[in-house]
Amino acid sequence: TLTVMNLLVGVLCEVVNAVATAEKEELLVQFVKSRLFKVLQQNDWDNDKLISKREFELMLETPEACIALHEVGVDPVGLIDFTEFIFDSEMDEDSEKQLSFPEFMDMVLALRGSNNASVRDVVDLRKFTRVVAVELNQKFIRTHQEVQKVHGLCTAIALTMNTPIPIHKDSGNLIATAGALHPHSNRLPQQDP
């Protein structure tokens, strides 16, 4: 019976320790939230209760905010590196993303150094990488189409001026000069008399 009693005391101590740690963490987070909210209110230039990229940068310049972030386990210097990621607007490149205070705090607390990577984090990273790859591919295709348009215009202008066209390999066809070999024949095109 003494062994069972010691076992129960050990389990009880572990439960009390876990509850105390969780409550201490919750109090710290609430304290940091209140301090950051006060700093953000001072930097909310447009008074819309939303955090813009510029307001976020201004907040990170205040010592009080940096101390509060550090107390909760977030590296303020590292947070500066995440500014572009945090305020990346997925919907429209022209509009600036803004965060509400709860969204901001969720994002900040997710970037704590004490957090362990989870399967969800890996899945989110995979989704983000895929989205960026698709966007880059679309930009590459648009750029390639623009280059083809410019090349076509330059070719047309060179042909009308009867000037040499620089050698350019395009889809297996060789374009040499205004009087170049036609891509499907071995003869020079006939000149007008």
Side-chain angles (χ1 to χ4, degrees):
T1 61
L2 190 58
T3 305
V4 173
M5 189 146 170
N6 283 338
L7 180 65
L8 289 175
V9 168
V11 169
L12 185 61
C13 287
E14 285 298 318
V15 169
V16 168
N17 188 27
V19 169
T21 303
E23 289 205 8
K24 181 180 175 185
E25 176 73 16
E26 182 63 31
L27 286 172
L28 178 64
V29 168
Q30 290 301 324
F31 178 67
V32 169
K33 278 183 179 181
S34 67
R35 287 173 65 185
L36 286 177
F37 187 72
K38 188 167 68 168
V39 171
L40 288 170
Q41 281 182 322
Q42 294 168 353
N43 292 313
D44 191 7
W45 297 102
D46 50 6
N47 219 12
D48 62 354
K49 307 272 190 264
L50 295 174
I51 303 162
S52 68
K53 182 178 175 182
R54 180 66 187 138
E55 292 167 345
F56 176 73
E57 291 168 344
L58 288 171
M59 180 205 64
L60 290 178
E61 292 175 5
T62 62
E64 185 179 353
C66 291
I67 291 168
L69 288 169
H70 193 281
E71 285 176 0
V72 82
V74 176
D75 178 21
V77 176
L79 197 57
I80 293 169
D81 294 336
F82 284 106
T83 303
E84 292 298 323
F85 172 74
I86 292 171
F87 290 96
D88 181 33
S89 181
E90 298 168 357
M91 293 179 221
D92 186 7
E93 292 180 11
D94 297 332
S95 68
E96 183 180 278
K97 182 177 179 180
Q98 294 187 330
L99 301 172
S100 67
F101 186 72
E103 290 172 327
F104 168 74
M105 284 307 300
D106 288 344
M107 179 73 74
V108 165
L109 294 175
L111 297 173
R112 295 165 72 181
S114 61
N115 290 351
N116 293 325
S118 66
V119 174
R120 180 177 179 219
D121 295 328
V122 174
V123 170
D124 288 345
L125 177 63
R126 184 172 180 254
K127 286 179 185 177
F128 176 75
T129 305
R130 180 174 283 171
V131 167
V132 169
V134 167
E135 288 175 0
L136 286 174
N137 189 39
Q138 290 171 346
K139 287 179 182 179
F140 175 77
I141 289 170
R142 285 192 302 268
T143 303
H144 181 69
Q145 290 169 344
E146 291 298 317
V147 167
Q148 285 180 328
K149 286 179 190 177
V150 170
H151 183 266
L153 290 171
C154 291
T155 303
I157 291 170
L159 286 172
T160 59
M161 297 175 66
N162 200 18
T163 58
I165 302 171
I167 294 177
H168 175 71
K169 198 167 199 148
D170 185 1
S171 303
N173 297 330
L174 189 62
I175 302 170
T177 61
L181 291 173
H182 189 273
H184 302 294
S185 78
N186 292 328
R187 299 180 294 125
L188 287 174
Q190 296 294 322
Q191 301 265 339
D192 289 331

